[in-house]
Amino acid sequence: MTKLHLFLLAIAFLSSLQNPAVLATKKAYIVYLGGHSHGANPTPADFESATQSHYQLLGSTFGSEELARSAIFYSYTKHINGFAAMLEEEEATLISEHPDVISVFENTMKTLHTTRSWDVMGGFLNRQGKAHPESIWAKANYGDDVIIANFDTGVWPESDSFDDKGYGPVPKRWRGICQNSTKHSFHCNRKLIGARFYDLSHQANSASPPVEYSPRDSEGHGTHTLSTAAGGIVRGANIYGEANGTARGGSPHARVAAYKVCWGLCADANILAAFDDAIHDGVDVISLSVGGLPYEYLFDSIALGSFHAVQRGITVVCSAGNDGPTPGTVSNIAPWIFTVGASTIDREFYSLVTLGSNKKIKGVSLSPKSLPAHKPYPLIDGSNAKRPNSSAEEAGWCYPGTLDPEKVRGKIVVCTRDTSFARVEKGVDVLKAGGAGMILANSDEEGNSLLADPHFLPASMITYKDALRLSSYLKSTKSPTATISPATTVLGVKPAPAMASFSSRGPNLINPEILKPDITAPGVDILAAFTEEVGPTMLDLDKRRVRFNVMSGTSMSCPHISGVAGLLKKLHPRWSPAVIRSAIMTTARTRDNTRTPMKDDNREKAIPFDYGAGHVRPNRAMDPGLVYDITFTDYVHFLCSRGYNASNMAQFIGKRFACPSKTMRAEDLNYPSITVPNLQKSFTVSRTVRNVGTPGTYNVRIKAPFGIHVSVKPQTLEFAKVGEEKTFQVRLRSRSESVGVGYVFGGLTWTDGKHYVRSPLVVNAFS
């Protein structure tokens, strides 16, 4: 516990004394004690001993072990050492001062970060639709017997994506369970080999009880993300006959396990419990499309859980968040986490809007409804169709009850998109008012970001630029009309990929020396399996049911990388999580299918704070040439550099440890990207690469950031064998033109003529 943490806790304690009402309120807290020392193969006796130690520790604060037993609702006993309990604020403060306690933090709720996407990443399939023999799918046998875990809203086990036909026995290393498995309620098989659910946090907080106490997915998000990562190949997947194609996961022959940690929201206590179980169960990859505000690592359930997972060689892949394009919004920023942004693919679901002036506007939609062809309908802006007691602004947004049926009936209504009211629900209100169709127009805030939705009426979403054209037309005539064409699938869209506007951006607010996100992957309009518990819009009023659904978010891009990580684990079982990440990052691309630099949704040039190292290229990742590895000890030294002391570290890793006398600089963590957020004239960073390809000679190529002089020593690296390592230094010097302009970007590439090992350079010069 640092002095800063103790000071903040003391302030909280003193403040609470002035408000006795606060002391009477119990909240759920997580008491984190580090790692267990009972080894990689603990016994039930070890688990029981750990639980008893938790009762004793909390009992020493309560003065009663019985009270401690009733307060604790999760005891983390396998790999993560700690517990979750209902505590008053004063009690939480007191127990944080115990010498065995590393951190105490409130059990907050994290949120969900809510196909052809595999084809568009390049070279997977031949013209016959089969895996190309040189592709990573073929080389890795589709990820056969790799185990991918998904922390989410559960799974719909009946989905065709989890059919186990053709699968052999469950891998012997699997130690998980299928919780509440019965023939009639929930079942696992040789594909879906495990499932668990975590609801104690909700019960402890007296939240609304779950509809069903099982791993079954009643929201759809978990089924979608798990099938994206490792769903089997399902041909003819469609939603309303559109989006027709083949649904497949990244590692389609992998085994999967669902850990239901989310019931609408995702509690920290549930997430830590799932990490503790998944590590013990024997998974290879953990996929987590969940996040929240970035916190210091000792107070972040995902950072803590993933730290212990990486210690056991498990790759943890997390979504970057959906709070973009605002800078500094990226979540899941710990350096041992693989953080994924979201970008588009070259497929769109077009729905053409034709105005009475014969101007055509390209929109997107997945509406199964259509208007009669070539029949123009009267067109009205929602702001001009308001009820007498509603404001024009609210009616323009098509808020519930604001549209006048007398003005709307039989017309196409223009509704402005905003962030406070769901897109599909706007159409519902138009339909209730008697409207014939809807044009959903982006505001300047949404810009060019388009998302296809399964509307209840003929509808099309259009960009802000086209919304301005539409507005001009409405003002130009007294009798505006329009038609909306049925949704159709269009492939080969250009430019693609482009960054999604919702994808959270860097810089990293906790450690600006670590570039986040790490990578980007397809996350817009992704087709994958879905629950049959709710409709495709997930609205209570939606009584439709589909087996597959189209969804968007970094929630969808994250499992793409989880699937690729599974393939690499199959191909290279001895690669560490850091090497897997390095292989994916250093082989990424930063150009789109027009061979120009990737853009954002507003067609501006994207930067590493948007996409990290670039857009994933799985086939290149299986043979990266050189890799940047980071050992678990390196991560511990990194934490030492943040002021964590030897006592903290010993508890953290479950054994004695002394921080090195010379503190490591965060910039020198052997990361595949190089970021210097505070360049004072000159700065030198060090990196080490390992040869995982054939012997050869690599030469450096430098694309210097604006106003920055970059030199590398040595400029040539010679490798005589596989596994050989070489260290190099990168010196950055600022010129006057770079000072005070903010972050500037470049790149450093090592190449032997066959491999191109690229690292982003991100620099902010102050003097």
Side-chain angles (χ1 to χ4, degrees):
M1 182 72 66
T2 65
K3 290 181 179 179
L4 175 60
H5 296 147
L6 290 174
F7 173 75
L8 293 175
L9 288 169
I11 291 297
F13 175 50
L14 291 173
S15 299
S16 69
L17 292 179
Q18 300 174 17
N19 185 2
V22 173
L23 299 180
T25 303
K26 287 186 178 289
K27 297 180 180 179
Y29 287 87
I30 293 167
V31 180
Y32 177 64
L33 306 172
H36 285 291
S37 57
H38 47 221
N41 297 298
T43 65
D46 292 322
F47 301 155
E48 179 60 28
S49 175
T51 301
Q52 289 300 322
S53 70
H54 298 158
Y55 293 152
Q56 292 167 8
L57 190 153
L58 187 58
S60 68
T61 300
F62 280 178
S64 167
E65 195 169 309
E66 287 303 313
L67 289 177
R69 287 175 180 270
S70 63
I72 293 176
F73 59 90
Y74 276 128
S75 188
Y76 309 126
T77 62
K78 298 180 177 70
H79 297 272
I80 299 169
N81 190 6
F83 56 87
M86 298 301 296
L87 304 173
E88 294 176 2
E89 188 174 347
E90 181 185 27
E91 293 166 342
T93 302
L94 289 174
I95 197 169
S96 71
E97 298 170 354
H98 193 285
D100 292 340
V101 173
I102 295 180
S103 62
V104 177
F105 54 97
E106 192 174 334
N107 175 40
T108 59
M109 295 292 175
K110 290 181 166 54
T111 58
L112 297 162
H113 289 158
T114 227
T115 176
R116 171 160 174 89
S117 55
W118 291 103
D119 304 345
V120 80
M121 288 191 288
F124 278 86
L125 304 176
N126 60 21
R127 293 180 179 178
Q128 289 72 44
K130 297 181 180 180
H132 192 284
E134 297 301 315
S135 71
I136 191 172
W137 266 347
K139 294 282 189 181
N141 196 21
Y142 298 92
D144 179 50
D145 279 354
V146 169
I147 302 174
I148 297 179
N150 193 44
F151 294 6
D152 212 295
T153 63
V155 64
W156 190 259
E158 293 84 5
S159 170
D160 291 343
S161 292
F162 309 117
D163 189 344
D164 68 350
K165 184 179 180 180
Y167 283 79
V170 173
K172 291 182 179 179
R173 69 182 189 282
W174 174 247
R175 296 191 290 187
I177 64 171
C178 192
Q179 193 174 3
N180 273 18
S181 176
T182 66
K183 182 178 180 181
H184 299 291
S185 65
F186 189 93
H187 63 275
C188 296
N189 56 27
R190 292 170 297 175
K191 170 68 174 180
L192 176 62
I193 62 175
R196 297 177 184 264
F197 66 95
Y198 304 86
D199 64 298
L200 297 183
S201 175
H202 291 75
Q203 292 187 43
N205 284 289
S206 300
S208 300
V211 175
E212 181 179 359
Y213 289 95
S214 85
R216 182 174 293 281
D217 181 10
S218 60
E219 300 174 50
H221 192 275
T223 302
H224 197 282
T225 54
L226 183 56
S227 64
T228 300
I233 299 172
V234 183
R235 291 179 172 82
N238 69 81
I239 173 173
Y240 305 124
E242 201 45 68
N244 205 354
T246 301
R248 55 173 75 85
S251 293
H253 287 182
R255 313 302 177 111
V256 298
Y259 295 75
K260 185 173 182 177
V261 299
C262 303
W263 309 76
L265 295 174
C266 318
D268 285 324
N270 293 349
I271 292 169
L272 267 182
F275 269 113
D276 200 32
D277 283 333
I279 296 168
H280 178 74
D281 290 346
V283 307
D284 298 304
V285 177
I286 294 175
S287 188
L288 189 57
S289 293
V290 172
L293 295 173
Y295 290 101
E296 179 60 42
Y297 308 128
L298 286 183
F299 299 87
D300 184 335
S301 63
I302 296 177
L304 290 174
S306 58
F307 184 81
H308 290 278
V310 168
Q311 184 182 16
R312 302 292 179 181
I314 300 169
T315 299
V316 180
V317 185
C318 295
S319 50
N322 294 342
D323 296 315
T326 305
T329 51
V330 62
S331 63
N332 297 319
I333 42 72
W336 46 86
I337 293 174
F338 201 170
T339 311
V340 188
S343 39
T344 64
I345 59 176
D346 69 341
R347 176 189 66 196
E348 287 187 353
F349 306 117
Y350 283 173
S351 177
L352 199 64
V353 175
T354 303
L355 304 179
S357 61
N358 210 32
K359 288 184 177 179
K360 299 183 186 300
I361 296 175
K362 183 187 69 179
V364 299
S365 180
L366 273 173
S367 173
K369 307 287 186 179
S370 61
L371 295 173
H374 309 300
K375 178 183 177 181
Y377 281 76
L379 182 66
I380 189 170
D381 190 284
S383 61
N384 295 323
K386 74 179 188 69
R387 289 178 181 271
N389 60 344
S390 299
S391 71
E393 185 178 44
E394 290 176 333
W397 287 327
C398 298
Y399 281 1
T402 60
L403 297 176
D404 188 339
E406 294 299 320
K407 299 176 181 177
V408 166
R409 189 173 292 112
K411 298 178 181 178
I412 295 174
V413 180
V414 179
C415 299
T416 301
R417 179 181 170 190
D418 71 321
T419 57
S420 60
F421 190 48
R423 303 181 300 272
V424 174
E425 287 183 280
K426 294 177 185 287
V428 171
D429 205 57
V430 171
L431 192 61
K432 287 180 178 178
M438 176 182 70
I439 299 173
L440 188 56
N442 276 359
S443 66
D444 57 348
E445 184 177 351
E446 284 81 22
N448 293 315
S449 172
L450 295 179
L451 301 172
D453 293 309
H455 294 281
F456 291 90
L457 78 173
S460 184
M461 179 188 287
I462 64 174
T463 67
Y464 176 60
K465 181 179 178 181
D466 286 331
L468 294 177
R469 293 173 57 200
L470 175 61
S471 178
S472 297
Y473 168 68
L474 284 168
K475 294 173 182 176
S476 70
T477 176
K478 293 182 178 179
S479 302
T481 62
T483 63
I484 301 174
S485 73
T488 57
T489 304
V490 177
L491 306 179
V493 174
K494 294 181 179 181
M499 292 306 301
S501 65
F502 58 75
S503 185
S504 290
R505 265 57 169 186
N508 180 337
L509 294 185
I510 301 297
N511 263 117
E513 306 89 349
I514 306 297
L515 177 64
K516 291 289 180 175
D518 293 308
I519 199 76
T520 189
V524 178
D525 292 342
I526 304 302
L527 176 67
F530 199 64
T531 181
E532 295 182 40
E533 187 75 20
V534 296
T537 63
M538 292 169 279
L539 299 174
D540 291 339
L541 55 85
D542 194 347
K543 305 304 178 185
R544 302 170 295 181
R545 295 296 181 265
V546 295
R547 292 165 52 236
F548 297 87
N549 200 6
V550 170
M551 300 179 73
S552 299
T554 55
S555 282
M556 285 65 247
S557 58
C558 167
H560 279 87
I561 298 300
S562 302
V564 175
L567 294 171
L568 292 176
K569 186 68 176 179
K570 176 66 178 182
L571 266 176
H572 306 285
R574 294 187 178 181
W575 278 11
S576 70
V579 168
I580 288 174
R581 175 176 58 193
S582 173
I584 294 173
M585 288 179 64
T586 59
T587 58
R589 61 170 170 161
T590 59
R591 293 182 177 269
D592 58 30
N593 57 3
T594 67
R595 297 185 179 181
T596 60
M598 282 178 60
K599 311 294 193 300
D600 61 20
D601 258 355
N602 290 321
R603 300 296 186 260
E604 299 291 333
K605 183 180 177 181
I607 59 177
F609 284 154
D610 303 332
Y611 55 60
H615 195 273
V616 60
R617 291 194 291 184
N619 286 339
R620 296 288 184 94
M622 64 179 167
D623 181 22
L626 305 178
V627 294
Y628 296 83
D629 198 5
I630 305 175
T631 67
F632 184 71
T633 301
D634 293 333
Y635 288 129
V636 176
H637 288 172
F638 168 82
L639 291 176
C640 290
S641 74
R642 290 195 61 77
Y644 299 178
N645 59 39
S647 176
N648 290 155
M649 291 299 94
Q651 292 170 271
F652 214 174
I653 63 179
K655 60 183 180 181
R656 287 187 178 182
F657 181 84
C659 288
S661 57
K662 184 178 180 181
T663 303
M664 170 190 188
R665 299 181 310 176
E667 291 91 345
D668 284 329
L669 185 67
N670 203 41
Y671 220 72
S673 56
I674 296 174
T675 304
V676 179
N678 187 11
L679 178 60
Q680 306 282 349
K681 294 186 178 179
S682 178
F683 195 90
T684 301
V685 299
S686 178
R687 289 291 188 271
T688 299
V689 288
R690 180 188 306 144
N691 180 32
V692 293
T694 56
T697 300
Y698 284 79
N699 296 303
V700 71
R701 294 181 181 178
I702 299 169
K703 183 180 180 182
F706 170 77
I708 304 295
H709 180 269
V710 183
S711 58
V712 178
K713 290 184 178 180
Q715 294 186 335
T716 299
L717 301 176
E718 295 185 5
F719 296 92
K721 59 183 179 180
V722 175
E724 187 176 2
E725 294 187 341
K726 299 285 185 179
T727 298
F728 63 92
Q729 283 76 40
V730 181
R731 187 184 183 196
L732 305 164
R733 286 185 294 157
S734 61
R735 298 192 180 110
S736 58
E737 61 266 32
S738 68
V739 176
V741 302
Y743 280 96
V744 288
F745 310 94
L748 180 155
T749 303
W750 290 102
T751 180
D752 63 351
K754 175 185 177 183
H755 304 95
Y756 294 85
V757 188
R758 183 185 174 278
S759 294
L761 291 176
V762 180
V763 183
N764 189 13
F766 281 87
S767 64

